[in-house]
Amino acid sequence: MEFRDRFDRLHDDLRVSVTDRCNLRCSYCMPEQPVWFPRSQILDYEEMHRLIRVLAAHGVRKVRITGGEPLVRKDLDRFIHLLAGTAGIEDISLTTNGVLLQDMVQPLADAGLNRVNVSLDTLDPMRFRQLTRRDDLDQVLAGLDAAAVAGLTPLKINTVLLRGTNEDEAERFVETARDKGWEVRFIEFMPLENNGTWDLSRVVTGQEIRDRIHAGWPLDPDPSNDPSAPAARFLFRDGGGRVGFINSISEPFCGDCSRLRLTADGKFRVCLYDNAEIDLKTPLRQGASDDDLAGLIREAVLGKGRGGALEILERKERLPGTRTMHQIGG
Ligand code: SAM
Ligand code: SF4
């Protein structure tokens, strides 16, 4: 039986974080000197695969691999190969910062990766260094070109614009995206940041960015929009491609949420913002059966609330003490 919650939302989409480690240090995501999970606490690929087989047996069809930075985990192609051979899994995608993509993308595509999203918040090398505390913009751009060569198109770029930091780059992203054939998706800054700087006033809303883009490149709603997908997508009227807006704060999409999350240390979360995660690693390592694991997952899904982002919107403040994105898997 599928995993449905009390609001009859079907959960068929899993984000699996394969590591909390990262080769960048985006200041809104992690501290300069993070404390990583001890290696013994990280699930190995076989353990992750076992949980994903249980989830797939109950209707999970899509798996997005994330982190931390998933490409810093060794042998990711082996994990993708395991997923690609899993009954029920129809779509395998990856969210990466792109730094290591250039050499890895072809083996990953060969292993069965269907789609890749690359996170990139600035096209300016100096700003890239400020935002990520590393100097790797050229590698990311080379990785994007390599992903296009490997056929993982249309490439999706995830961009978070922050008020007073990089909010002026929307137009530059659009110009570059139209030239390169990328689909940029502007994501609103969410209160899961590392450094306590989230504040509604720093959120550049999708509506604001859309208005700015529309003034230069008129947009029309994309008729092929999937209403349950988080991105509201628009087509450039002149045929120059597509752009998306993930309005996670100004228009939370909790009502259609189909997502579940597994962290690298074996915790299972039903909502980005809900700290009531359950531990699957301990029962898994103590020999729980597939039915036992499915029972724990079902119970957690039945406990899922209406939606964390909706609560933030209502309270207009950050939720207390949640893990940051690199530990949950964005
Ligand atoms: N390292 C990979 C990457 O950067 O794509 C995967 C993990 S990262 C946590 C996933 C996504 O979460 C990135 O697109 C990042 O920009 C986004 N993210 C992290 N913290 C965020 C926040 N507070 N608000 C919005 N997006 C955030
Ligand atoms: Fe690393 Fe991604 Fe977080 Fe940046 S957003 S620090 S790339 S996990």
Side-chain angles (χ1 to χ4, degrees), residues 3-5 11 260 268 270 297-304:
F3 294 126
R4 278 187 190 274
D5 68 6
H11 289 76
L260 301 172
F268 179 77
V270 292
I297 294 169
R298 186 172 306 287
E299 209 176 301
V301 171
L302 284 172
K304 179 164 176 166

Side-chain angles (χ1 to χ4, degrees), residues 19-31 36 66-70 95-99 119 121 131-133 325-327 330:
T19 180
D20 61 325
R21 287 160 202 255
C22 188
N23 45 359
L24 298 183
R25 295 286 183 279
C26 302
S27 45
Y28 61 72
C29 181
M30 59 167 87
W36 308 123
T66 179
E69 172 48 38
T95 298
T96 171
N97 61 31
V99 174
S119 307
D121 298 335
L131 280 168
T132 69
R133 303 183 180 112
M325 259 330 198
H326 80 284
Q327 295 167 327

Side-chain angles (χ1 to χ4, degrees), residues 5-282:
D5 68 6
R6 288 176 293 140
F7 305 91
D8 203 35
R9 292 175 294 198
L10 168 67
H11 289 76
D12 63 353
D13 185 343
L14 176 74
R15 313 276 151 133
V16 55
S17 171
V18 292
T19 180
D20 61 325
R21 287 160 202 255
C22 188
N23 45 359
L24 298 183
R25 295 286 183 279
C26 302
S27 45
Y28 61 72
C29 181
M30 59 167 87
E32 193 152 12
Q33 292 183 323
V35 180
W36 308 123
F37 298 146
R39 279 190 195 277
S40 61
Q41 299 304 312
I42 305 279
L43 296 184
D44 66 31
Y45 286 149
E46 280 65 30
E47 290 173 322
M48 287 184 180
H49 184 222
R50 164 95 192 280
L51 294 175
I52 291 168
R53 272 189 285 135
V54 171
L55 286 155
H58 295 271
V60 168
R61 297 287 166 259
K62 295 178 260 180
V63 178
R64 173 167 295 279
I65 300 167
T66 179
E69 172 48 38
L71 299 189
V72 302
R73 180 139 184 195
K74 259 201 229 139
D75 302 328
L76 190 68
D77 53 338
R78 187 168 76 76
F79 182 53
I80 290 179
H81 188 72
L82 284 175
L83 293 181
T86 306
I89 298 301
E90 294 165 1
D91 185 60
I92 305 168
S93 57
L94 171 77
T95 298
T96 171
N97 61 31
V99 174
L100 297 174
L101 204 52
Q102 188 176 15
D103 293 332
M104 293 179 68
V105 69
Q106 192 61 57
L108 297 178
D110 293 344
L113 181 69
N114 303 115
R115 295 181 296 126
V116 63
N117 288 28
V118 176
S119 307
L120 182 59
D121 298 335
T122 177
L123 291 163
D124 176 86
M126 286 264 288
R127 226 180 234 175
F128 188 92
R129 200 174 312 136
Q130 279 162 8
L131 280 168
T132 69
R133 303 183 180 112
R134 297 290 184 272
D135 204 5
D136 293 335
L137 178 61
D138 286 346
Q139 275 102 301
V140 177
L141 296 174
L144 281 163
D145 290 341
V149 171
L152 293 172
T153 51
L155 268 176
K156 291 192 179 156
I157 311 295
N158 290 348
T159 302
V160 180
L161 295 184
L162 304 169
R163 180 84 63 213
T165 302
N166 59 344
E167 66 179 291
D168 55 343
E169 288 203 52
E171 290 78 1
R172 186 168 176 190
F173 267 103
V174 167
E175 275 167 16
T176 312
R178 285 165 55 91
D179 184 41
K180 298 255 190 195
W182 305 336
E183 178 176 331
V184 180
R185 296 128 46 92
F186 293 99
I187 304 178
E188 290 176 352
F189 183 34
M190 294 184 270
L192 290 158
E193 85 295 4
N194 133 70
N195 50 4
T197 56
W198 188 88
D199 183 298
L200 257 188
S201 67
R202 293 205 74 205
V203 177
V204 185
T205 64
Q207 178 69 50
E208 175 182 334
I209 304 167
R210 201 176 100 199
D211 290 346
R212 271 166 53 192
I213 296 174
H214 184 73
W217 299 271
L219 296 170
D220 294 311
D222 182 349
S224 70
N225 245 351
D226 168 1
S228 74
R233 297 157 93 206
F234 290 79
L235 296 169
F236 292 111
R237 197 168 290 161
D238 66 3
R242 245 194 217 104
V243 61
F245 301 92
I246 302 188
N247 300 341
S248 28
I249 297 298
S250 64
E251 296 172 53
F253 30 84
C254 305
D256 294 314
C257 183
S258 57
R259 282 171 288 282
L260 301 172
R261 292 184 149 81
L262 180 63
T263 66
D265 62 340
K267 304 289 194 304
F268 179 77
R269 280 177 95 102
V270 292
C271 172
L272 250 183
Y273 299 106
D274 185 353
N275 285 326
E277 51 191 23
I278 60 162
D279 174 24
L280 290 180
K281 180 177 66 218
T282 305

